[in-house]
Amino acid sequence: MLNEELIASFEQIVGKNNTLTQKDEIFHYGHDETETIQYNPELVLKPGSAQQIANIMAICHQHQIPVTPRGAGTGLSGGAIPHKGGVVISMEKLNKIIAIDEKNLQVITEPGVITEVLQNAVKEKGLFYPPDPSSKGSCFIGGNIAENSGGPKAVKYGVVKDYVLNLEVVLPNGTIIETGASVLKNSTGYNLTQLIVGSEGTLGIVTKITLKLIPLPKYDVLMLASFNNLQKASEAVSAIFRAGYTPSALELVEIDALKIVSNMLDSHAIPIHENTAAHLIIELDGNNKDLLMQEMEAIAGLLENFEVGDLYFAEDEAQKNELWKLRRRVAEAVKLAGYTIEEDTVVPRAYLPELIKGVKELARQHGFEAVCYGHAGDGNLHIRIKDPRTTTSYNAPHMQQALGELFKLVKQLGGTISGEHGIGLIQKKYMPLVMQEANLQIMRSIKKAFDPNNILNAGKIFDMQ
Amino acid sequence: MLNEELIASFEQIVGKNNTLTQKDEIFHYGHDETETIQYNPELVLKPGSAQQIANIMAICHQHQIPVTPRGAGTGLSGGAIPHKGGVVISMEKLNKIIAIDEKNLQVITEPGVITEVLQNAVKEKGLFYPPDPSSKGSCFIGGNIAENSGGPKAVKYGVVKDYVLNLEVVLPNGTIIETGASVLKNSTGYNLTQLIVGSEGTLGIVTKITLKLIPLPKYDVLMLASFNNLQKASEAVSAIFRAGYTPSALELVEIDALKIVSNMLDSHAIPIHENTAAHLIIELDGNNKDLLMQEMEAIAGLLENFEVGDLYFAEDEAQKNELWKLRRRVAEAVKLAGYTIEEDTVVPRAYLPELIKGVKELARQHGFEAVCYGHAGDGNLHIRIKDPRTTTSYNAPHMQQALGELFKLVKQLGGTISGEHGIGLIQKKYMPLVMQEANLQIMRSIKKAFDPNNILNAGKIFDMQ
């Protein structure tokens, strides 16, 4: 599809060094962290500015060339996989934090900045950007916007969408727009900013981001609580909120997952009780240490109603980091252990026990193994599946049937397919289980309005039919 | 346009009692709180269910009849004014709170519930729905969603969009959809929920709303601080945030506005210093009273750097209510006093002093009087204008020129036209001053995707051209 003339014009825009055509260079851009899927693009471009991206898009729009925008490739739904071939636009060179506006508590950044780098940069100024996916050490902030990422802090502080004030976006035809203004309140026309957030790179390519920041809380306290009964642990979650507490993190990890990650990291600093069913990780943050300690003690007392076992308080930064490292690397560890399929279900918080019960029943019925972990405080449960019959099984018919039943349960509980990973390539077939055809038709119309030639990350989230 | 046959079919849907055709009955539905504009509809319908609305819309879609959805008519940008005639659909009969879900901290409500009624109902369960426009005692929650309303608490708790989890919406062709799911995190396709919020009734009619609730803070403290210098008062605002405090309200009111409302209410309980320039109203809330008192004292100390005058602490609920009543009724009072034009500008918080300075200069240059008040903590400044040359002046050429200059300044400061009132009918001509033609084209395409016949609140926010 891409003749030499076209490749030459792309080279002219981004330079020879930023134009990859060799198979060994391109291979990396053919997958992300989703299972074991690989589709190679024809060409990878690494532009250095919004204008270069606009010029690339103008050509691709004219010649109807498929384009897949790519952040750090840490996605879990195949959003960055170039399954139609064509051009991958890697955002890795747009990697500068443009300005930290301490007066207005905002940061302006390019999309190719690693999330943790951004968090640390604003932290140095006493400011806080809360959304922190487990991959924060490697993912890009631009990818977080594409997927509307969450992470452990979302339970108190909200997800990415709650921090995005304004975006510079290259539209599929090469026009550059700003979606909003750098203000805290905005009722000036349709919310294009929120339409781009979570649109998985299908409506435009984000080239500049204005994020809201908040004052950094001075203290946090962190507790690990073990439970012999998974149901009880999940019931404890909503009880904490009903008692009026808002933890800054409330995570659940099943014991099998915790054992796998603990072995992988060869970590012994955190006392994990192997003969339990699950652990809750509970964090509180704020500006008054005594108050936080009092609240954590009250929560510990409340957990006794749910047959809590041992409680472990992380005493210092080293212990806190160790515990968070365990939590953050669960997904990677269980994937390596053969749990290759990851689901990102979300339900209203109080229905988490029913969801977990349903998962375990489905696993028994369909003969697969499932471990559960995730952002329990948000009702956002990650389910990792190991299927003894196949390792590349997201498309296997028996697995599709099992996942279909899982998602029907999720829908029945008032939830949906994805809380923070997006739909991308691999979940789109399940969209009709959780929304009406009318919703999909509206989404298609919106896609068409932005991208009449259907070139930008086409075939992600839904097919145009 | 509406023949007897059509009127009869509407009557069949909603009943004779809910079909208004007489001029005296209809007059009320021809205006909202925007200046003195009046356009009568041909017909007012008061449906009692989403299905009735769907049936009405199917007919209007087929016959290309203009439809204006209407909440309580408290809007300030003309969003509910039926300037194309046709049918007004009043939401007043969809006025039930369907369920308060204490387990999941959510409320499901119909759109015709008065915001304060909803707030009080969830408060009784120890829960909190923060967005509270000044008109909370009369406006509908559905209207708040249409305009993405804010109010004083937005500075800490966010605006309406931050609380809407899911919406049931009747599309212009009569299809009923749900926009999302009742979950705290959602990365499942385009965010149709956020597209409807703030779309001012142009994309669909909201018939059911799921809102997130939070635990009700136990205590609040409230202070009124006077300043002899308007600039210093506005500079103090961002200093409070830079010092790490997040007030639950931070309002600014110029002395002229405060005098007018104080006289109107014949209120003497709150000590207002007439020889000052402006007052700040500062509220803190939380669960620890001592901590709140300490923080308020620290803020009071900080204000000394900005030449603060007298400080008044509201001691009890009665004093707090009295002070809030003064603040809430400012808009009404100054409107009665001849300040008929209201602007809803918003800039990054730290640029508030420059905005206020610009407003005063424009008033001098163009020969009008302006009083400023509003949600200073959000950079959201309401400007009320009294023009000695005309009382119905939003369309007067000299006023258009002055407002154009104001909005150019707002844009230059990184802000936009409307923080919480919407664009509606009267601000649409200024949209090109704050956004590119490409943005407007995308908005038109979205409108067309939802409403191909352009019947639903057509000509609001923008014209289709």
Side-chain angles (χ1 to χ4, degrees):
Chain A
M1 186 184 273
L2 294 178
N3 58 37
E4 280 180 27
E5 199 185 332
L6 279 170
I7 293 176
S9 46
F10 290 132
E11 259 184 20
Q12 220 164 17
I13 296 168
V14 299
K16 212 173 167 59
N17 286 342
N18 298 314
T19 307
L20 311 185
T21 54
Q22 298 305 308
K23 207 168 177 184
D24 58 330
E25 299 172 316
I26 278 178
F27 183 80
H28 167 70
Y29 298 88
H31 60 267
D32 58 12
E33 291 295 325
T34 311
E35 301 201 9
T36 53
I37 306 165
Q38 178 82 29
Y39 288 95
N40 289 339
E42 293 179 66
L43 189 69
V44 175
L45 301 174
K46 301 182 189 178
S49 70
Q51 191 54 58
Q52 286 185 7
I53 295 173
N55 295 345
I56 296 166
M57 289 311 301
I59 293 172
C60 294
H61 178 68
Q62 192 194 337
H63 296 275
Q64 307 203 16
I65 300 164
V67 176
T68 305
R70 180 185 177 89
T74 59
L76 293 163
S77 54
I81 295 175
H83 69 125
K84 306 230 180 231
V87 174
V88 160
I89 297 184
S90 170
M91 304 303 286
E92 63 200 273
K93 295 204 152 239
L94 276 84
N95 61 359
K96 276 160 215 72
I97 297 174
I98 297 167
I100 299 172
D101 180 349
E102 292 179 68
K103 285 186 302 182
N104 287 305
L105 278 61
Q106 296 177 4
V107 58
I108 303 174
T109 183
E110 290 184 334
V113 173
I114 290 174
T115 305
E116 193 171 28
V117 170
L118 183 92
Q119 285 183 319
N120 289 341
V122 304
K123 197 173 175 178
E124 275 180 27
K125 313 281 186 185
L127 298 171
F128 187 30
Y129 171 70
D132 58 345
S134 286
S135 56
K136 69 174 179 178
S138 54
C139 63
F140 288 171
I141 190 76
N144 295 174
I145 283 165
E147 303 303 320
N148 189 20
S149 304
K153 304 276 186 197
V155 66
K156 178 171 178 179
Y157 292 106
V159 296
V160 166
K161 83 169 172 57
D162 302 308
Y163 291 86
V164 183
L165 298 179
N166 197 6
L167 296 169
E168 181 188 79
V169 176
V170 178
L171 298 179
N173 68 4
T175 308
I176 304 175
I177 65 163
E178 278 197 26
T179 57
S182 298
V183 290
L184 296 168
K185 300 163 80 177
N186 195 337
S187 296
T188 311
Y190 301 158
N191 198 333
L192 300 183
T193 307
Q194 293 294 338
L195 190 56
I196 296 292
V197 174
S199 66
E200 308 197 35
T202 63
L203 299 180
I205 300 181
V206 173
T207 50
K208 197 160 73 182
I209 302 156
T210 306
L211 297 168
K212 179 177 86 169
L213 303 172
I214 58 177
L216 187 69
K218 291 195 181 84
Y219 308 103
D220 58 49
V221 292
L222 184 63
M223 180 171 81
L224 182 71
S226 71
F227 292 81
N228 285 321
N229 183 321
L230 178 58
Q231 283 294 304
K232 290 283 176 190
S234 62
E235 287 167 18
V237 171
S238 65
I240 290 169
F241 292 88
R242 276 146 64 191
Y245 304 107
T246 305
S248 51
L250 182 33
E251 301 282 305
L252 179 144
V253 188
E254 261 199 283
I255 189 63
D256 288 351
L258 209 52
K259 276 194 250 177
I260 292 168
V261 68
S262 173
N263 285 336
M264 181 186 85
L265 295 175
D266 200 17
S267 160
H268 307 287
I270 307 296
I272 291 164
H273 302 282
E274 301 225 342
N275 296 323
T276 57
H279 289 68
L280 291 182
I281 300 170
I282 305 171
E283 185 194 78
L284 297 173
D285 71 5
N287 291 330
N288 187 294
K289 208 170 181 173
D290 293 341
L291 194 64
L292 294 179
M293 296 300 283
Q294 283 166 31
E295 286 200 351
M296 194 60 104
E297 277 170 33
I299 289 174
L302 189 154
L303 294 182
E304 286 175 19
N305 302 329
F306 300 90
E307 302 173 12
V308 71
D310 282 343
L311 298 174
Y312 164 78
F313 289 89
E315 296 281 343
D316 53 28
E317 286 310 300
Q319 289 184 357
K320 287 176 190 171
N321 289 338
E322 194 63 26
L323 179 50
W324 275 122
K325 193 168 82 181
L326 276 183
R327 168 62 191 92
R328 286 194 183 284
R329 300 193 65 180
V330 164
E332 180 190 349
V334 297
K335 185 179 178 184
L336 282 173
Y339 294 82
T340 50
I341 301 175
E342 173 152 356
E343 300 306 330
D344 177 37
T345 53
V346 58
V347 294
R349 184 193 292 139
Y351 305 139
L352 198 62
E354 285 176 64
L355 174 60
I356 291 177
K357 207 167 136 188
V359 169
K360 297 295 175 182
E361 275 172 21
L362 281 171
R364 263 194 303 276
Q365 283 166 23
H366 292 271
F368 59 79
E369 288 172 51
V371 286
C372 297
Y373 57 92
H375 316 302
D378 283 317
N380 183 199
L381 191 73
H382 299 319
I383 305 159
R384 275 271 178 185
I385 293 170
K386 184 179 189 168
D387 186 345
R389 287 155 291 185
T390 163
T391 53
T392 56
S393 54
Y394 87 98
N395 251 334
H398 66 276
M399 190 47 65
Q400 285 193 45
Q401 198 201 323
L403 293 179
E405 287 177 39
L406 169 64
F407 296 143
K408 277 180 202 158
L409 171 65
V410 164
K411 172 72 179 171
Q412 197 185 307
L413 295 172
T416 191
I417 301 179
S418 176
E420 56 180 21
H421 294 169
I423 298 306
L425 189 60
I426 67 167
Q427 304 290 33
K428 65 179 175 177
K429 65 170 85 70
Y430 304 107
M431 289 285 270
L433 295 179
V434 290
M435 61 181 65
Q436 293 160 254
E437 179 58 23
N439 292 51
L440 289 167
Q441 283 301 353
I442 289 174
M443 291 184 194
R444 288 186 191 110
S445 309
I446 292 170
K447 170 69 173 162
K448 205 169 176 183
F450 278 79
D451 185 11
N453 292 349
N454 196 30
I455 56 165
L456 189 63
N457 221 4
K460 303 290 167 67
I461 311 179
F462 48 77
D463 288 309
M464 289 302 279
Q465 290 186 333
Chain B
M1 184 183 271
L2 294 177
N3 58 37
E4 279 181 27
E5 199 185 331
L6 280 169
I7 295 176
S9 44
F10 291 132
E11 259 183 20
Q12 218 163 20
I13 296 168
V14 299
K16 210 172 171 59
N17 286 342
N18 297 313
T19 307
L20 310 185
T21 53
Q22 298 304 308
K23 208 169 178 185
D24 58 329
E25 297 172 317
I26 278 179
F27 183 81
H28 167 70
Y29 298 89
H31 61 267
D32 58 13
E33 291 295 324
T34 311
E35 301 201 9
T36 53
I37 305 165
Q38 179 82 29
Y39 288 94
N40 288 338
E42 293 178 66
L43 188 71
V44 175
L45 300 174
K46 301 182 188 178
S49 70
Q51 191 54 57
Q52 286 185 6
I53 294 173
N55 296 345
I56 295 166
M57 290 311 300
I59 294 172
C60 293
H61 178 68
Q62 191 195 337
H63 296 275
Q64 307 204 16
I65 301 164
V67 176
T68 305
R70 180 187 178 88
T74 59
L76 292 163
S77 54
I81 295 176
H83 68 127
K84 305 231 182 231
V87 174
V88 160
I89 297 184
S90 170
M91 304 304 284
E92 64 201 273
K93 296 205 151 235
L94 276 84
N95 62 358
K96 276 159 217 70
I97 297 174
I98 297 167
I100 299 173
D101 180 349
E102 292 179 68
K103 283 187 303 184
N104 287 304
L105 277 60
Q106 295 177 3
V107 59
I108 303 173
T109 183
E110 290 184 333
V113 173
I114 290 173
T115 304
E116 193 170 29
V117 169
L118 183 92
Q119 286 183 318
N120 289 339
V122 304
K123 198 173 176 180
E124 275 179 28
K125 313 280 186 188
L127 297 171
F128 188 28
Y129 170 70
D132 58 345
S134 286
S135 56
K136 69 174 180 179
S138 54
C139 63
F140 288 171
I141 190 75
N144 295 175
I145 283 165
E147 304 303 319
N148 189 19
S149 303
K153 303 276 187 197
V155 67
K156 177 170 180 180
Y157 292 106
V159 296
V160 166
K161 82 168 172 54
D162 302 308
Y163 291 85
V164 183
L165 300 178
N166 197 7
L167 296 170
E168 179 187 81
V169 176
V170 178
L171 299 178
N173 69 3
T175 309
I176 304 175
I177 66 163
E178 278 197 26
T179 57
S182 299
V183 291
L184 295 169
K185 299 164 80 177
N186 195 336
S187 296
T188 312
Y190 300 159
N191 199 333
L192 300 184
T193 307
Q194 293 294 337
L195 190 56
I196 296 293
V197 174
S199 66
E200 307 197 35
T202 63
L203 299 180
I205 301 180
V206 173
T207 49
K208 198 161 72 183
I209 302 156
T210 305
L211 297 167
K212 179 176 86 166
L213 303 172
I214 57 177
L216 187 70
K218 291 195 183 80
Y219 307 104
D220 58 49
V221 291
L222 184 62
M223 179 170 81
L224 181 72
S226 71
F227 292 81
N228 285 320
N229 183 321
L230 179 58
Q231 283 293 305
K232 290 284 176 190
S234 62
E235 287 167 18
V237 171
S238 66
I240 292 169
F241 291 88
R242 276 145 65 192
Y245 303 106
T246 305
S248 51
L250 181 34
E251 302 282 306
L252 179 143
V253 188
E254 261 198 285
I255 188 63
D256 288 351
L258 209 51
K259 276 193 248 177
I260 291 167
V261 68
S262 174
N263 286 336
M264 182 185 85
L265 295 176
D266 200 18
S267 159
H268 307 287
I270 308 295
I272 292 164
H273 301 282
E274 302 224 343
N275 296 324
T276 57
H279 289 68
L280 292 181
I281 300 169
I282 305 171
E283 185 194 78
L284 298 171
D285 70 5
N287 291 331
N288 186 294
K289 206 171 183 175
D290 293 341
L291 194 66
L292 294 179
M293 295 300 284
Q294 282 167 31
E295 287 201 350
M296 193 58 102
E297 277 170 32
I299 290 173
L302 190 154
L303 295 183
E304 285 177 19
N305 303 329
F306 300 89
E307 303 175 10
V308 72
D310 283 343
L311 298 173
Y312 164 78
F313 290 88
E315 296 282 344
D316 53 27
E317 285 310 299
Q319 289 184 357
K320 288 176 189 169
N321 288 339
E322 192 64 24
L323 179 49
W324 276 121
K325 194 169 80 183
L326 275 184
R327 168 61 192 93
R328 286 194 184 285
R329 300 195 64 182
V330 164
E332 180 191 348
V334 295
K335 184 178 180 186
L336 282 173
Y339 294 83
T340 49
I341 301 177
E342 173 152 357
E343 301 305 331
D344 177 37
T345 54
V346 59
V347 293
R349 185 191 293 139
Y351 305 140
L352 198 61
E354 286 177 66
L355 174 59
I356 291 177
K357 207 167 137 190
V359 169
K360 295 297 176 182
E361 276 171 20
L362 281 171
R364 263 193 303 277
Q365 283 166 24
H366 292 272
F368 59 77
E369 288 173 51
V371 287
C372 297
Y373 57 92
H375 315 302
D378 283 318
N380 184 200
L381 190 73
H382 299 320
I383 304 160
R384 274 272 178 184
I385 293 170
K386 184 180 188 169
D387 185 345
R389 287 156 291 185
T390 163
T391 51
T392 55
S393 53
Y394 86 99
N395 252 333
H398 66 276
M399 190 47 63
Q400 286 194 42
Q401 199 201 322
L403 294 179
E405 287 177 38
L406 170 64
F407 295 144
K408 278 178 203 160
L409 171 65
V410 164
K411 172 74 179 171
Q412 197 186 307
L413 295 172
T416 193
I417 302 179
S418 176
E420 55 179 22
H421 294 168
I423 299 304
L425 189 60
I426 67 166
Q427 305 289 34
K428 64 178 174 176
K429 66 170 85 69
Y430 303 107
M431 288 285 270
L433 295 179
V434 291
M435 61 181 64
Q436 293 160 254
E437 179 59 23
N439 293 51
L440 289 168
Q441 283 301 353
I442 289 173
M443 290 184 195
R444 288 187 191 107
S445 308
I446 292 169
K447 170 69 174 164
K448 204 168 176 181
F450 278 80
D451 185 12
N453 293 348
N454 196 30
I455 57 164
L456 190 63
N457 222 3
K460 301 293 167 66
I461 310 179
F462 48 76
D463 287 310
M464 290 301 279
Q465 291 182 336

